[in-house]
Amino acid sequence: MKQRSSLTKPSSALIMEPNNSEYVVLGEASSVNLDKFQKLSSLPLVFLIFYEVSGGPFGVEDSVQAAGPLLALLGFLIFPFIWSIPEALITAEMSTMFPENGGYVVWVSSALGPYWGFQQGWMKWLSGVIDNALYPVLFLDYLKSAIPALESGFPRIVAIIVLTAALTYMNYRGLTIVGWAAILLGVFSLLPFVFMGLVAIPRLEPSRWLVVDLSNVNWGLYLNTLFWNLNYWDSISTLAGEVDNPSRTLPKALFYAVVLVVFAYFFPLLIGTGAVPLDRDLWSDGYFSEIAKVIGGVWLRSWIQGASAVSNMGMFVAEMSSDSFQLLGMAEHGMLPDFFAKRSRYGTPLAGILFSASGVVLLSWLSFQEIVAAENFLYCFGMIMEFIAFVKLRMQSPETPRPYKIPVGTVGAILICIPPTILIMVVLALASLKVMAISMVAVLIGFVMQPCLMYVEKRRWLRFSNTSNFAGLHSAYHECNAP
């Protein structure tokens, strides 16, 4: 791949698609000569979304511990209709309306102004980095049964740093490599569960799937586990500028990814809860490998552990791609210093990758459940602003062309957002005081950080892009819709 030669100014351009639909590409030129780099096609994009959302059933075990088999199975069937599908639909519409890097930051900035766009970017980036800190933890949780030294202490710290460095380098080498690696890693991660399902057929007892004890349900852990495993569909929007023909590719990729993610959760849970006697206390991180040992022997457990390792590799590099390209998009719109917009010779945002990797190392000392709760809390705030932006843009600019548009009117757009918003309120209400306090401090930091960055720009201590004006995006809409 060739090195990008120059940074062109963000602009609004009227583009004709092959289906003769006209739409305004906002800031399409904000990336550096994108045509010189190979863009993501449909199949790699599906697996990138798969890894940004899921990566396989690793981490869903807590749902059985919290609520038992029946509620765990029902949760991964019903929850996608409440949360995943609405979020995926909104992501598809907004990403084709704004096919550029930065994603939801651009949506919120266009609807609510750059200040709130920055807050959206800060909360979602921090949430993403917290999310990424989970994957070294999950990786080591699956390996600690085979290598007890990795359970705690200095060896665990070294393992986290080495793993983070290796995966960060893979991300640095290029988004196309990450996409195709995600395909290989995804196939390898899911194959052992398909095999485990075939081997387990004689052992299945359907009555085990129906076990439920409503008096003994940890609703906080249950909802946090479901929410964490089925969110982040909007993450792919932050690198929409790197996608080949995003108006067609993104909606299709999101659809296939939803199907793949639901299957990757439900099928292993069905096998695991039906093939072994229930002991809810054992259902915690890494328990699928022990189930594999019972069903198929030590070799199948080793295969599951290996699948977990590569799955966490895929989730790490996919999430870091989203986080780093989000920072790049924010820098291109003048929200962050200009050095965040600089790309490596592989076309990757070097500063964004380094900042995201540093955050992962700093946060990896937290426990799995603390990470999930804190990440969910911040993510909820960001999603509320996305829903507001989605509805406001529907009401404010209903005639603005959208290559993909959810086939509902303004009332339908509002109704789509109601169930996930109610769920967000429940998740926020169930958070512990510790998580609430930490998350609110993080939010307040964002409130202070944005004026500080503007002061730094005013004093010219750091260079910022001054070519992007979100007020001009509304002008582009009106010009496009003018008779």
Side-chain angles (χ1 to χ4, degrees):
M1 295 188 293
K2 298 179 181 179
Q3 184 176 1
R4 302 172 194 261
S5 59
S6 63
L7 181 65
T8 56
K9 294 182 178 180
S11 62
S12 298
L14 189 62
I15 303 297
M16 296 295 295
E17 277 294 291
N19 61 3
N20 292 325
S21 65
E22 296 181 346
Y23 67 100
V24 176
V25 179
L26 301 172
E28 186 201 41
S30 61
S31 296
V32 187
N33 295 337
L34 291 178
D35 56 328
K36 291 189 177 182
F37 284 85
Q38 185 177 356
K39 294 189 177 183
L40 287 170
S41 57
S42 296
L43 187 58
L45 193 62
V46 169
F47 278 88
L48 268 180
I49 298 171
F50 171 71
Y51 272 119
E52 286 176 347
V53 174
S54 167
F58 314 104
V60 305
E61 296 97 331
D62 281 337
S63 65
V64 179
Q65 182 186 102
L70 180 62
L71 290 182
L73 291 168
L74 288 176
F76 283 101
L77 283 181
I78 297 173
F79 197 90
F81 289 94
I82 299 173
W83 180 264
S84 301
I85 292 175
E87 186 184 6
L89 288 172
I90 292 171
T91 299
E93 176 171 324
M94 299 302 291
S95 294
T96 58
M97 185 178 178
F98 300 90
E100 58 178 299
N101 297 328
Y104 38 71
V105 177
V106 181
W107 314 344
V108 174
S109 297
S110 302
L112 306 177
Y115 178 83
W116 291 108
F118 179 88
Q119 304 309 320
Q120 170 78 353
W122 163 247
M123 285 186 286
K124 294 300 285 286
W125 177 80
L126 187 57
S127 172
V129 170
I130 294 173
D131 181 64
N132 227 7
L134 284 169
Y135 305 133
V137 172
L138 284 174
F139 174 72
L140 295 179
D141 282 345
Y142 268 85
L143 290 187
K144 67 185 180 184
S145 59
I147 310 175
L150 295 178
E151 185 168 358
S152 61
F154 184 72
R156 185 178 181 89
I157 295 173
V158 172
I160 287 174
I161 293 174
V162 171
L163 179 64
T164 301
L167 297 180
T168 299
Y169 178 73
M170 180 186 295
N171 209 278
Y172 162 75
R173 287 299 304 268
L175 191 57
T176 302
I177 293 176
V178 169
W180 285 103
I183 297 174
L184 299 177
L185 296 177
V187 172
F188 182 78
S189 298
L190 296 177
L191 271 180
F193 290 99
V194 174
F195 188 85
M196 186 171 75
L198 295 175
V199 174
I201 290 175
R203 306 174 61 101
L204 294 178
E205 294 186 17
S207 61
R208 293 171 177 164
W209 296 329
L210 304 178
V211 176
V212 61
D213 182 5
L214 294 177
S215 64
N216 184 24
V217 176
N218 185 341
W219 291 106
L221 177 59
Y222 175 66
L223 289 176
N224 269 319
T225 303
L226 289 174
F227 192 66
W228 175 66
N229 281 286
L230 286 164
N231 63 15
Y232 277 86
W233 297 96
D234 59 338
S235 292
I236 198 64
S237 69
T238 64
L239 44 86
E242 313 297 313
V243 175
D244 182 30
N245 192 6
S247 64
R248 296 180 183 274
T249 306
L250 271 168
K252 291 180 180 179
L254 282 162
F255 170 78
Y256 291 122
V258 168
V259 175
L260 182 60
V261 166
V262 173
F263 172 81
Y265 286 145
F266 186 78
F267 181 75
L269 275 175
L270 198 69
I271 298 303
T273 54
V276 298
L278 176 64
D279 186 342
R280 283 173 56 175
D281 292 335
L282 296 177
W283 280 85
S284 59
D285 309 329
Y287 187 55
F288 271 125
S289 62
E290 299 306 316
I291 295 175
K293 181 182 178 182
V294 172
I295 294 175
V298 175
W299 69 272
L300 186 55
R301 181 183 71 174
S302 300
W303 192 3
I304 294 287
Q305 289 173 336
S308 168
V310 300
S311 174
N312 282 282
M313 290 172 58
M315 287 187 286
F316 188 100
V317 295
E319 181 63 51
M320 183 167 285
S321 295
S322 174
D323 296 341
S324 58
F325 274 99
Q326 177 197 317
L327 296 182
L328 179 144
M330 292 176 70
E332 289 175 341
H333 285 292
M335 296 182 179
L336 292 175
D338 198 44
F339 63 81
F340 280 101
K342 304 299 182 184
R343 299 193 185 227
S344 71
R345 62 194 180 96
Y346 302 106
T348 49
L350 181 58
I353 289 173
L354 292 176
F355 269 73
S356 299
S358 300
V360 168
V361 173
L362 291 173
L363 293 168
S364 57
W365 58 272
L366 294 171
S367 71
F368 177 84
Q369 292 183 8
E370 286 177 326
I371 292 174
V372 170
E375 175 243 318
N376 283 349
F377 201 90
L378 289 171
Y379 186 82
C380 286
F381 279 119
M383 287 309 305
I384 289 173
M385 284 201 287
E386 283 185 35
F387 294 151
I388 293 173
F390 167 66
V391 172
K392 184 174 181 181
L393 289 173
R394 271 294 190 99
M395 298 174 67
Q396 178 178 285
S397 306
E399 302 302 322
T400 300
R402 296 158 167 84
Y404 173 82
K405 185 176 182 179
I406 305 172
V408 294
T410 301
V411 174
I414 296 172
L415 293 176
I416 286 174
C417 297
I418 291 177
T421 301
I422 294 173
L423 178 64
I424 284 174
M425 297 305 176
V426 173
V427 171
L428 292 176
L430 291 174
S432 67
L433 291 177
K434 178 182 177 181
V435 169
M436 286 185 183
I438 294 174
S439 301
M440 291 309 299
V441 169
V443 171
L444 291 175
I445 290 173
F447 289 162
V448 175
M449 188 184 304
Q450 199 271 350
C452 289
L453 285 173
M454 295 302 96
Y455 181 77
V456 168
E457 180 184 12
K458 183 178 179 181
R459 298 302 297 265
R460 298 185 179 180
W461 292 342
L462 290 173
R463 183 181 176 184
F464 286 71
S465 170
N466 59 3
T467 56
S468 180
N469 182 356
F470 284 104
L473 301 187
H474 299 300
S475 299
Y477 298 148
H478 297 309
E479 290 173 7
C480 179
N481 296 323

